[in-house]
Amino acid sequence: ARVQSAEQYAAAWREAAGPLAAKYTAVGSLRRGVLEVIVANSTLMQELTFQKPTLIETLSRTLPNEGIEKLRFRLGPIE
């Protein structure tokens, strides 16, 4: 079930962020309504920060039962 949830989060993130941003990001875990997103560089992290309200709205619409209320961006390697 956990693997299936991770795939659902990743698919929803790709839809919300778009193909270019999704290429340089990866979805982490969801804890207490906060979805962690690993970002490859600080420039993209800043851009995604500006888009947070729209991203959260899209994710909430795509995954209504998951209760995503916030996004937390973290710099890290993307595989």
Side-chain angles (χ1 to χ4, degrees), residues 33-47:
V34 180
L35 182 65
E36 181 181 66
V37 179
I38 299 126
V39 184
N41 62 64
S42 58
T43 305
L44 180 57
M45 185 172 1
Q46 184 176 14
E47 179 61 35

Side-chain angles (χ1 to χ4, degrees), residues 17-30:
L20 184 59
K23 183 176 179 180
Y24 298 102
T25 57
V27 176
S29 60
L30 175 65

